[in-house]
């Protein structure tokens, strides 16, 4: 992880976090990732991950406590990219049940946040998460999943392993118009638990070949993680316009 240019500006806590990772052909993803970003592969295989969590403890640096009404649920779909020799993630979509979070992220950072109705419940054994997209102009993508850790044992990713490659990433790459931006974050290394999940997913990943997601994913759980956010950093100008690519994804979803 590279040294950050400026101090962190905001904090958040991710609770009851679930990773579901699928291998996907590189060629299937290339049309939906901006050309400036290199799609990374592990042993020649690209990956797409669906990640969901509770976002709590939101607040700017210097303000104690949590901002009122700032907790929300989030569901994102991402792949793994590199720009400027720095690995990161690229988000195809970020669904959330907070209109404030959706509006702010879309306006300020041009991130593809999408409004959705979401619920989360848990008991002693299982956690239950449901999401139904309600954002105007988008397909009504859905996800229903129940999940649980398989044991209390926690582990850290081995150096060079697929798990390290998937989860130990500390920035996002995106375009705002034609401008290339990096969104840095910081947290301690992931303390993961092996997990299982039973899910039903519709249209959430249909920008690419849906058959890839009929396979069993690699599933991981993390109970809680404190995160720090840093100011976005501009890294250059791209030839491809992000809005044009977003329209391409929309057309693909409706094919």
């Amino acid at each position: 992880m590279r040294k950050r240019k400026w101090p962190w500006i905001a904090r958040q806590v991710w609770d009851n976090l679930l990773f579901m990772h699928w291998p996907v052909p590189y060629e299937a993803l290339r049309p939906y990732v901006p050309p400036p970003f290199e799609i990374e592969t592990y042993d020649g295989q690209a990956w797409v991950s669906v990640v969901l969590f509770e976002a709590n403890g939101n607040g700017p640096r210097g303000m104690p406590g949590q901002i009122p009404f700032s907790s929300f649920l989030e569901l994102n779909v991402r792949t793994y990219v590199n720009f400027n020799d720095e690995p990161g993630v690229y988000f195809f979509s970020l669904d959330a049940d907070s209109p404030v979070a959706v509006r702010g992220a879309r306006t300020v950072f041009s991130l593809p946040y999408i409004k959705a109705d979401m619920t989360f419940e848990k008991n002693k054994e299982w956690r239950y998460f449901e999401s139904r997209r309600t954002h105007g102009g988008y397909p009504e993508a859905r996800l229903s999943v129940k999940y649980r850790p398989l044991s209390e044992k926690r582990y850290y990713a081995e150096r060079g392993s697929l798990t390290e490659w998937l989860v130990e990433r500390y920035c996002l790459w995106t375009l705002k118009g034609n401008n290339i931006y990096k969104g840095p974050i910081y947290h301690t290394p992931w303390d993961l638990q092996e997990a299982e999940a039973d899910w039903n997913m519709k249209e959430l990943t249909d920008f690419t070949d849906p058959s890839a997601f009929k396979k069993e994913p690699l599933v991981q759980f993390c109970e809680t993680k404190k995160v720090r956010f840093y100011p976005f950093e501009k890294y250059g100008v791209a030839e491809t316009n992000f809005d044009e690519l977003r329209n391409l994804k929309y057309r693909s979803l409706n094919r």
Side-chain angles (χ1 to χ4, degrees):
M1 184 178 65
R2 297 185 180 182
K3 185 177 180 181
R4 302 311 183 197
K5 292 182 178 180
W6 298 288
W8 64 272
I9 57 172
R11 63 184 182 274
Q12 194 172 85
V13 180
W14 296 339
D15 292 319
N16 297 296
L17 188 141
L18 178 71
F19 291 102
M20 295 191 293
H21 310 283
W22 284 270
V24 176
Y26 172 94
E27 295 79 10
L29 296 183
R30 186 66 274 180
Y32 308 107
V33 176
F37 305 137
E38 175 190 354
I39 299 176
E40 290 197 322
T41 61
Y42 187 91
D43 288 342
Q45 183 68 66
W47 287 76
V48 167
S49 300
V50 173
V51 185
L52 60 90
F53 55 89
E54 294 180 283
N56 296 310
N58 295 282
R61 184 170 185 159
M63 178 181 290
Q66 178 172 311
I67 298 174
F69 312 111
S70 64
S71 292
F72 57 92
L73 299 170
E74 181 172 317
L75 162 65
N76 62 62
V77 181
R78 72 192 202 185
T79 193
Y80 301 93
V81 301
N82 191 303
F83 183 79
N84 198 42
D85 292 325
E86 184 168 3
V89 301
Y90 175 78
F91 290 107
F92 296 110
S93 62
L94 303 102
D95 290 31
D97 67 347
S98 166
V100 174
V102 170
R103 189 180 307 114
R106 290 177 69 92
T107 302
V108 178
F109 304 116
S110 287
L111 289 173
Y113 267 82
I114 302 168
K115 181 69 176 69
D117 287 341
M118 297 178 168
T119 61
F120 174 80
E121 298 178 359
K122 67 176 181 178
N123 55 35
K124 292 182 179 180
E125 186 175 7
W126 292 94
R127 289 155 175 83
Y128 302 86
F129 180 97
E130 291 192 5
S131 175
R132 180 178 62 85
R133 194 173 284 175
T134 59
H135 204 118
Y138 284 85
E140 196 177 276
R142 295 173 178 263
L143 175 68
S144 176
V145 58
K146 72 173 186 178
Y147 60 102
R148 65 177 177 178
L150 291 174
S151 73
E152 293 298 319
K153 183 179 180 181
R154 290 169 169 79
Y155 67 94
Y156 295 93
E158 294 183 7
R159 189 170 182 83
S161 67
L162 173 60
T163 293
E164 182 193 44
W165 184 88
L166 287 165
V167 303
E168 297 299 343
R169 293 179 179 251
Y170 294 89
C171 74
L172 66 86
W173 289 105
T174 191
L175 295 180
K176 184 176 182 181
N178 284 43
N179 295 311
I180 300 169
Y181 281 92
K182 178 176 77 171
I185 67 169
Y186 171 77
H187 55 72
T188 58
W190 287 100
D191 49 328
L192 299 168
Q193 293 170 257
E194 292 185 359
E196 65 175 333
D198 183 12
W199 77 96
N200 184 16
M201 187 163 60
K202 179 182 178 182
E203 293 188 318
L204 193 65
T205 58
D206 281 1
F207 54 86
T208 188
D209 184 2
S211 66
F213 302 92
K214 294 180 181 179
K215 305 172 185 176
E216 288 296 318
L218 173 62
V219 180
Q220 297 153 336
F221 173 81
C222 182
E223 187 169 355
T224 188
K225 182 62 62 180
K226 295 179 181 179
V227 185
R228 300 289 183 261
F229 297 94
Y230 292 76
F232 272 48
E233 303 169 11
K234 185 177 177 180
Y235 269 77
V237 178
E239 295 181 2
T240 300
N241 186 283
F242 180 59
D243 292 331
E244 294 174 358
L245 187 72
R246 188 154 48 192
N247 289 336
L248 174 63
K249 286 188 285 189
Y250 176 83
R251 289 195 297 273
S252 180
L253 280 163
N254 285 276
R255 65 178 184 270

